[in-house]
Amino acid sequence: MSIYIDEKTRVCVQGITGRDGGFHARGMLDYGTNVVAGVTPGKGGQSVEDVPVFDTVREAVEKTGADASIVFVPARFAADAVVEAGEAGIELVVAITEGVPTLDAARMYARLHETGTRLVGPNCPGLISPGKCKLGIMPGPIHERGPIGVVSRSGTLTYEVVDGLRRHGLGQSTVIGIGGDPIIGTNFIDTLEAFARDPETEGIVLIGEIGGTDEEEAAAWIERELDKPVVSFIAGRTAPPGKRMGHAGAIIAGGKGTAEEKMEALKAAGVPVAERPSEIPELLSGSLRG
Amino acid sequence: MKIHEYQAKEILSRYEVPMPPFEVVDSPSQARAFAERTGAPIIVKAQVHVGGRGKAGGVKFAADPDEAERSAADILGMDIKGLTVGKVIVYEAVDIADEIYIGVVIDRASKRPVFMVSSAGGVDIEEVASATPEKIHRHPVDPQDGLSREEAAALGGAVDPRPDVARRIGDVIFKLWTAFNESDASLAEINPLVVTPDGDVSAVDAKMLIDDNALFRHEDIAAMRDPSLETDETRRAREAGLSYVKLDGTVGCLVNGAGLAMTTMDVIKHFGGEPANFLDIGGSSTPEKVVTALDIISSDPGVKAILINIFGGITRCDDVARGLIEAFERRPLDLGVVVRLTGTNEEEARELLSEHDLVTAATMDDAVQKVVEMAGRAA
């Protein structure tokens, strides 16, 4: 089944006439995603990669039945674009953009909560249900369909882990990058709940990093609610306190949010934690067998 | 981005937060002159980006102009936790009847700003939170609606039972919220907000942290950046669109992606090496960016070897390899380098690199072990 997206998802690309939007629209089309519309205000009537472009998301939804959107819009305008999609009836919005101001993210999350829209990101690579739909910027070829759900705060680290899974014959149901910012629309527990309900997902890999308390909250939830095996890796054991490590949300603040704390919380909840990414496939196979 | 107390006070003054008039000075005679003009005792405080200024002797009460001059002379040039004091703020001392804490911060878990007020002001709020949490009133703020005047008034009432004082506190709370919201802060606090014996309120200290992602829409605040916050290398990296954090080790690393970069540091440590830095080159590894990154990493004399760890993803590895070769031609290095490239066309990429005498590895573990050994031999 996979989570959030499948072969029926109809995708609108906001910012399709820009360089990144056009490039990744092509990438999604090549993967087999149903990219049915693009939106760039003022460019309605054009087409990019044979995809019709509309001025507004509302028009795109009316004319094409788009139900998911991916936003390639610069940071200063990204929140407006996300809210526009939510208000136009889009069910799932993926915000790729890095650099969205935190208060914008808080406001757009609150608005999309009102419109009943799932937000993924911002500052994320998107998600992919291998063999069905790619709604993101990840490289298709390293993914293959299978029983493992992957949820991660990272981009290339996720690809590293997925590549390792593939080399060990562990295919993926859905791989979702939830993003590296302090306020994101979909967090670990949201995703684990969806994986729990998905018949196709038998095991889960959770990739975290320093900053915030999402991994600790996930650990508590896993212990209470989740039967499926989870294996984890947490990046940033060697990160110094008080410094932002690339991602806006990757910072040990006031002594809190260290990798060690997260690893301890997960282990206490019965989740094996890998010392390095290459250990994940074997830990996972062990958990699936046992 | 951190800003100094005096800069936070400048911002809050624009929102008419009541506070003692202040100046920022960098000489003892200016402190003296301020004390003379004020004609009353003043406070002299170091303006440096570290906490614990008081305990370090960086905050002094000066009863008269002589003491003001001496205090400023003591504090200016003082080393506080590795930073040299270049400026002090001076302001008239306020009579204190009560000290209140008011602050607003982004709460990641609830995805909203949260306002906190406490009658236990004038001390470290983290200590209050752990020892007597019941003394802190927390109030989540709807990000779309913001804090209303009614909510602000209610919060004022929560920390002082006297209606007129509560009203004044509530007024400052509303102004602090407005400043936080309009400045794109991630933290704004006044600790202490002093209540005088007459029942007036005055912001004696102020702190604000500004969201780096929002600086593009606050040129005036961006201009408040203190050069001492960054080294030359960190500034250069920031201006080139790279993320760089210097550490103390011997193995430099250049990686595409923050999570992968942190992991690379972790795996270096795992295999017995010491990472020298964090560097995320971001999505596009053009030759220019690689040259800048290599320059920054190799400017650290402690670096003995460098690992380039790139997961190609959509970017073709042979393109990345050509970019690296060009970078090394422009900036030949005397240091050992190991290159790990994974992704589309990775075999071609490794062949290209070996033709140029660069050591390559197919997996991250293999690459890290090679570079740790190289760094060990070079030491």
Side-chain angles (χ1 to χ4, degrees):
Chain A
M1 272 210 20
S2 63
I3 69 168
Y4 298 148
I5 56 171
D6 61 23
E7 66 279 0
K8 299 191 289 293
T9 306
R10 300 175 69 75
V11 172
C12 165
V13 178
Q14 291 177 255
I16 195 172
T17 55
R19 190 196 60 184
D20 288 346
F23 179 79
H24 290 293
R26 176 82 261 147
M28 288 184 275
L29 284 162
D30 286 346
Y31 193 78
T33 303
N34 302 320
V35 180
V36 300
V39 172
T40 298
K43 304 261 170 92
Q46 295 180 14
S47 87
V48 173
E49 309 283 351
D50 293 327
V51 174
V53 181
F54 300 91
D55 286 317
T56 66
V57 181
R58 188 169 298 279
E59 219 190 314
V61 169
E62 279 165 13
K63 297 274 169 59
T64 69
D67 52 30
S69 176
I70 182 164
V71 176
F72 291 98
V73 168
R76 71 179 68 216
F77 306 117
D80 284 344
V82 167
V83 169
E84 184 194 338
E87 291 176 344
I90 293 282
E91 291 169 23
L92 168 68
V93 180
V94 174
I96 300 293
T97 309
E98 178 164 22
V100 175
T102 305
L103 283 171
D104 280 4
R107 287 185 285 258
M108 78 189 187
Y109 173 76
R111 183 64 186 127
L112 260 56
H113 192 68
E114 286 171 352
T115 59
T117 310
R118 172 155 300 282
L119 169 67
V120 175
N123 188 16
C124 78
L127 60 161
I128 180 170
S129 293
K132 299 174 192 165
C133 177
K134 178 172 99 155
L135 186 58
I137 63 172
M138 61 284 289
I142 61 170
H143 299 81
E144 67 183 17
R145 189 170 167 177
I148 309 301
V150 180
V151 54
S152 169
R153 284 166 63 184
S154 295
T156 49
L157 174 59
T158 314
Y159 312 161
E160 176 82 41
V161 170
V162 167
D163 198 42
L165 291 174
R166 180 184 60 85
R167 288 171 200 263
H168 283 80
L170 292 161
Q172 311 91 39
S173 52
T174 301
V175 177
I176 174 168
I178 57 177
D181 279 358
I183 294 185
I184 49 177
T186 294
N187 65 10
F188 283 127
I189 293 177
D190 295 327
T191 314
L192 293 169
E193 281 175 340
F195 281 138
R197 287 192 303 266
D198 174 35
E200 198 176 314
T201 301
E202 294 170 20
I204 296 161
V205 179
L206 185 153
I207 304 165
E209 59 191 42
I210 55 166
T213 54
D214 205 11
E215 290 83 356
E216 291 88 331
E217 290 171 39
W221 187 88
I222 288 167
E223 191 167 25
R224 275 196 332 264
E225 308 276 353
L226 190 60
D227 286 329
K228 297 182 185 179
V230 181
V231 158
S232 181
F233 173 73
I234 306 295
R237 286 173 89 176
T238 51
K243 302 271 185 196
R244 205 170 301 281
M245 308 300 281
H247 287 155
I251 177 164
I252 297 165
K256 305 228 181 60
T258 65
E260 298 294 348
E261 281 171 345
K262 293 167 187 300
M263 292 170 70
E264 285 315 309
L266 286 158
K267 287 179 195 169
V271 175
V273 180
E275 295 283 309
R276 49 198 157 108
S278 55
E279 290 178 4
I280 290 171
E282 203 169 306
L283 278 178
L284 192 53
S285 301
S287 291
L288 287 168
R289 279 194 302 270
Chain B
M1 188 183 83
K2 289 182 186 173
I3 60 174
H4 289 293
E5 173 189 355
Y6 76 88
Q7 292 165 322
K9 282 180 169 172
E10 273 168 18
I11 294 174
L12 293 177
S13 302
R14 293 187 219 145
Y15 291 86
E16 298 181 350
V17 169
M19 62 181 72
F22 66 90
E23 276 181 29
V24 181
V25 303
D26 57 14
S27 77
S29 58
Q30 289 173 310
R32 172 185 207 90
F34 179 84
E36 281 166 356
R37 280 198 303 277
T38 303
I42 68 167
I43 305 292
V44 182
K45 261 189 194 169
Q47 298 294 278
V48 279
H49 283 303
V50 284
R53 291 172 293 164
K55 290 187 185 139
V59 178
K60 291 198 199 298
F61 173 91
D64 56 49
D66 281 339
E67 241 187 273
E69 190 170 2
R70 273 199 307 278
S71 299
D74 283 343
I75 297 175
L76 286 164
M78 183 188 272
D79 176 301
I80 302 183
K81 297 188 188 167
L83 289 180
T84 306
V85 180
K87 296 188 208 224
V88 292
I89 190 175
V90 288
Y91 57 84
E92 185 173 336
V94 174
D95 285 331
I96 299 173
D98 296 297
E99 292 175 296
I100 308 288
Y101 172 96
I102 64 173
V104 51
V105 69
I106 297 282
D107 178 40
R108 292 170 71 149
S110 63
K111 306 189 212 271
R112 294 180 292 198
V114 170
F115 228 105
M116 289 184 291
V117 299
S118 175
S119 54
V123 293
D124 187 342
I125 194 66
E126 307 275 338
E127 284 175 25
V128 178
S130 62
T132 49
E134 68 282 1
K135 288 193 175 166
I136 301 180
H137 301 268
R138 297 172 58 93
H139 181 85
V141 182
D142 183 301
Q144 295 188 94
D145 298 336
L147 189 75
S148 69
R149 288 188 187 277
E150 289 73 27
E151 288 170 289
L155 283 169
V159 285
D160 200 299
R162 298 166 287 178
D164 50 346
V165 178
R167 190 176 35 80
R168 289 180 199 124
I169 296 173
D171 190 54
V172 177
I173 287 172
F174 185 76
K175 288 169 172 160
L176 184 66
W177 160 258
T178 311
F180 170 93
N181 195 35
E182 291 183 1
S183 308
D184 276 302
S186 48
L187 168 82
E189 67 182 19
I190 295 173
N191 186 25
L193 176 68
V194 159
V195 181
T196 69
D198 293 333
D200 287 322
V201 295
S202 185
V204 159
D205 197 354
K207 179 175 175 183
M208 290 178 79
L209 287 175
I210 308 297
D211 180 9
D212 286 316
N213 278 355
L215 288 173
F216 71 83
R217 55 189 187 201
H218 298 286
E219 262 184 55
D220 53 340
I221 300 180
M224 290 179 172
R225 186 186 297 274
D226 183 339
S228 79
L229 277 178
E230 305 182 296
T231 60
D232 284 341
E233 282 71 42
T234 317
R235 191 199 66 249
R236 204 179 152 195
R238 180 174 54 79
E239 286 167 357
L242 311 170
S243 290
Y244 172 76
V245 177
K246 184 185 176 308
L247 304 169
D248 283 326
T250 60
V251 182
C253 53
L254 185 165
V255 184
N256 68 327
L260 190 60
M262 282 191 274
T263 301
T264 304
M265 287 161 41
D266 296 345
V267 178
I268 287 169
K269 181 96 186 188
H270 177 88
F271 281 113
E274 283 297 334
N277 69 278
F278 165 95
L279 191 146
D280 174 12
I281 198 164
S284 57
S285 38
T286 59
E288 290 75 27
K289 269 190 161 176
V290 175
V291 167
T292 305
L294 290 173
D295 268 352
I296 290 168
I297 295 169
S298 59
S299 71
D300 173 0
V303 172
K304 305 291 176 215
I306 298 179
L307 165 58
I308 297 178
N309 184 16
I310 305 274
F311 198 103
I314 289 192
T315 311
R316 288 166 36 157
C317 291
D318 50 340
D319 282 343
V320 178
R322 278 182 212 100
L324 290 176
I325 289 160
E326 191 185 323
F328 283 120
E329 269 158 20
R330 282 202 236 166
R331 189 74 87 250
L333 281 182
D334 217 5
L335 296 165
V337 176
V338 175
V339 181
R340 181 273 181 135
L341 289 178
T342 289
T344 315
N345 294 354
E346 58 179 88
E347 282 96 15
E348 288 93 323
R350 281 198 288 278
E351 268 172 47
L352 265 171
L353 293 167
S354 317
E355 281 163 25
H356 286 78
D357 282 330
L358 286 162
V359 176
T360 64
T363 69
M364 178 157 60
D365 285 355
D366 191 32
V368 168
Q369 286 172 283
K370 281 181 172 155
V371 77
V372 167
E373 201 213 353
M374 236 184 227
R377 275 185 279 121

